[in-house]
């Protein structure tokens, strides 16, 4: 793997570790510390995700116009400002607005990192995106473990820890300037007048994005309704954080276990996605019967193996589909679909949980996963019609 990609991987690891101090605890903080209902907490997270959608689209646009280095620095500095304010003001309603600002600025950063990977190592295919995915999840493993310990003393320290990690991320990001090559991306690579002459890849990406949205809508329940559900069942914050530690470490350590399947399905991206989706469904079937910490661990382990086949493949496909000079736009768009799913998830889950209880909620979520299989299966139809290969 090129050194430039390693720089991006390290940056993503620090970024995600910092974020993981806060995002798994958002619903618990809103519900237990600020006294808000699950529905209100869901709306707050929806606003955060909506700001992230805008940030993703802006980040992708800026990547294609001014390059990844400047775009990432802009997003990081804006996040640092938001986190600095959040360490001082994290009551109601200041928490809402600052969380939205952080969602917006974080959204700017993510598509730029994914787009940089695609242009810095185009021959790497899935490998580059998988490396970023592993870095994300190693951060997810480390962050919540530390967050659970810190939160047991005071939630206030979580905001400080997140701020420190983002300042460290800024220091690493200054080295991204070495990756800046105008012949690879940026304004010089843009198509004439910024137009997409062949719309088939864009249409295919949007269809793929619908499935991605539905998948994230379901997955996001783990940081919204399921997080509070575990508290209602008597699990501690440390136990809930441990679930994410299992998720993150298993994604890293489990790579050799899935490697034979990945090799067998090499280049067959659709098959990898649908295989992962079927594993997702099994994990939520287990959740219907989960009442103990052990059962939640089992469900998380199954879920983790499912996501290892889906989450790295979708941005890989976005890179494959992207015309020259549109890497940022395509990554911003697909990240926007994911963020929109995370936006809808807490609201949909919160309303269902309060109205019908968690068991019915899990059944509905399983139905949504079956629904997600449709766009995942048919996303390449526009490519076949235009005789474009993915």
């Amino acid at each position: 793997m090129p050194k430039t990609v390693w720089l991006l991987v390290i940056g993503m690891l620090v970024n995600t570790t910092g974020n993981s101090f806060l995002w798994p605890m958002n619903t618990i903080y809103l519900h237990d510390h600020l006294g808000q209902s699950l529905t209100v907490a869901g709306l707050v997270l929806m606003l955060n995700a909506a700001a992230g959608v805008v940030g993703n689209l802006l980040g992708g646009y800026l990547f294609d116009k001014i390059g990844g280095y400047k775009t990432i620095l802009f997003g990081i500095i804006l996040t640092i400002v938001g986190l600095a304010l959040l360490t001082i003001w994290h009551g109601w309603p200041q928490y809402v607005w600052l969380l939205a600002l952080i969602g917006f600025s974080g959204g700017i950063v993510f598509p730029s990192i994914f787009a940089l990977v695609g242009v810095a190592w185009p021959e790497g295919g899935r490998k580059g995106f998988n490396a970023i995915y592993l870095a994300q999840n190693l951060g997810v493993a480390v962050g919540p473990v530390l967050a659970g310990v810190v939160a047991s003393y005071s939630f206030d320290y979580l905001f400080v820890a997140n701020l420190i990690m983002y300042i460290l991320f800024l220091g690493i990001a200054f080295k991204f300037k070495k990756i800046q090559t105008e012949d690879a991306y940026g304004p010089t690579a843009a198509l004439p007048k910024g137009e997409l002459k062949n719309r088939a890849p864009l249409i295919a990406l949007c269809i793929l994005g619908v499935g991605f949205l539905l998948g994230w809508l379901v997955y996001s329940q783990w940081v919204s309704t399921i997080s509070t559900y575990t508290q209602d069942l008597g699990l501690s914050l440390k136990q809930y954080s441990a679930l994410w530690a299992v998720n993150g470490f298993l994604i890293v350590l489990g790579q050799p276990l899935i490697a034979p399947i990945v090799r067998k399905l090499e280049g067959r991206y659709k098959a990898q996605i649908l295989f992962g989706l079927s594993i997702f469904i099994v994990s939520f079937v287990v959740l219907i019967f989960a009442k103990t910490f052990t059962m939640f661990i089992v469900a998380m382990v199954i879920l983790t193996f499912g996501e290892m086949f889906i989450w790295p493949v979708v941005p890989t496909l976005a890179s494959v589909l992207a015309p020259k000079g549109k890497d940022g736009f395509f990554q911003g768009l697909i990240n926007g679909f994911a963020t929109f799913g995370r936006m809808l998830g807490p609201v949909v889950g919160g309303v269902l949980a309060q109205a019908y209880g968690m068991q019915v909620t899990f059944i509905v979520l399983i139905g949504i996963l079956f629904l997600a299989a449709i766009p995942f299966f048919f996303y390449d139809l526009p490519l076949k019609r235009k005789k474009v290969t993915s």
Side-chain angles (χ1 to χ4, degrees):
M1 194 162 65
K3 292 181 179 179
T4 52
V5 177
W6 275 111
L7 268 178
L8 295 168
V9 168
I10 294 169
M12 181 61 84
L13 172 62
V14 174
N15 176 26
T16 311
T17 301
N19 286 339
S20 297
F21 274 92
L22 191 57
W23 64 260
M25 302 294 182
N26 273 326
T27 300
I28 295 171
Y29 183 71
L30 286 162
H31 186 261
D32 295 348
H33 292 260
L34 296 183
Q36 304 302 314
S37 68
L38 278 180
T39 301
V40 171
L43 290 170
V44 172
L45 295 182
M46 183 177 75
L47 178 63
N48 169 261
V53 172
V54 178
N56 276 300
L57 296 175
L58 178 61
Y61 172 81
L62 291 176
F63 181 95
D64 294 332
K65 292 296 181 181
I66 64 174
Y69 174 67
K70 293 178 182 178
T71 302
I72 290 172
L73 284 187
F74 172 63
I76 293 174
I77 291 170
L78 194 58
T79 301
I80 288 174
V81 171
L83 288 172
L85 293 173
L86 195 61
T87 60
I88 303 171
W89 296 294
H90 43 263
W92 185 267
Q94 295 89 349
Y95 190 84
V96 179
W97 310 124
L98 292 174
L99 203 64
L101 173 61
I102 293 168
F104 170 73
S105 56
I108 292 174
V109 173
F110 273 85
S112 295
I113 291 181
F114 278 103
L116 272 180
V117 171
V119 298
W121 195 26
E123 66 276 12
R126 184 186 191 275
K127 295 176 184 177
F129 295 99
N130 196 57
I132 292 293
Y133 169 70
L134 291 177
Q136 280 183 288
N137 285 280
L138 186 57
V140 167
V142 174
V145 172
L146 298 176
V149 175
V150 172
S152 65
Y153 291 97
S154 172
F155 257 88
D156 294 351
Y157 299 150
L158 292 177
F159 308 117
V160 178
N162 200 348
L163 174 61
I164 292 172
M165 293 302 291
Y166 245 89
I167 292 173
L168 179 59
F169 183 29
L170 178 63
I172 295 171
F174 282 124
K175 297 182 180 180
F176 291 173
K177 192 173 185 178
K178 299 176 182 178
I179 312 173
Q180 182 96 349
T181 54
E182 290 187 355
D183 58 339
Y185 64 90
T188 58
L191 295 174
K193 299 181 181 180
E195 294 179 356
L196 282 169
K197 294 183 177 180
N198 186 348
R199 297 284 175 180
L202 179 60
I203 296 170
L205 184 76
C206 290
I207 297 172
L208 181 73
V210 172
F212 205 34
L213 183 158
L214 294 174
W216 270 108
L217 184 153
V218 174
Y219 188 91
S220 67
Q221 302 309 312
W222 275 94
V223 293
S224 53
T225 53
I226 294 175
S227 67
T228 53
Y229 181 53
T230 60
Q231 301 297 290
D232 293 339
L233 291 175
L235 274 67
S236 67
L237 279 176
K238 289 183 180 179
Q239 286 177 312
Y240 174 68
S241 297
L243 292 172
W244 287 108
V246 168
N247 174 268
F249 285 120
L250 185 58
I251 284 171
V252 177
L253 300 176
Q255 292 299 309
L257 298 177
I258 70 166
I261 302 175
V262 172
R263 283 195 296 269
K264 188 174 182 179
L265 298 176
E266 185 70 34
R268 296 168 59 190
Y269 297 129
K270 184 190 296 187
Q272 291 183 44
I273 291 174
L274 293 174
F275 181 67
L277 193 66
S278 65
I279 299 175
F280 263 27
I281 291 170
V282 174
S283 73
F284 276 85
V285 171
V286 172
L287 279 176
I288 294 175
F289 307 99
K291 300 293 181 182
T292 64
F293 178 60
T294 302
M295 287 296 289
F296 279 101
I297 287 285
V298 171
M300 177 59 86
V301 168
I302 297 171
L303 179 85
T304 302
F305 277 103
E307 69 171 282
M308 283 193 278
F309 288 99
I310 302 177
W311 294 164
V313 173
V314 176
T316 304
L317 275 171
S319 180
V320 170
L321 291 169
K324 186 178 180 181
K326 292 297 178 181
D327 300 274
F329 174 69
F330 271 54
Q331 292 295 341
L333 187 59
I334 200 66
N335 270 278
F337 275 107
T339 308
F340 193 63
R342 291 192 289 270
M343 178 184 80
L344 293 178
V347 176
V348 172
V351 171
L352 285 172
Q354 285 196 327
Y356 304 106
M358 287 303 297
Q359 270 61 47
V360 173
T361 299
F362 291 140
I363 293 171
V364 173
L365 294 174
I366 290 169
I368 293 174
L369 288 174
F370 275 108
L371 188 63
I374 298 174
F376 279 144
F377 188 82
F378 291 109
Y379 84 89
D380 55 350
L381 277 182
L383 304 178
K384 293 176 180 177
R385 289 171 182 170
K386 292 291 183 179
K387 295 183 180 180
V388 178
T389 57
S390 62

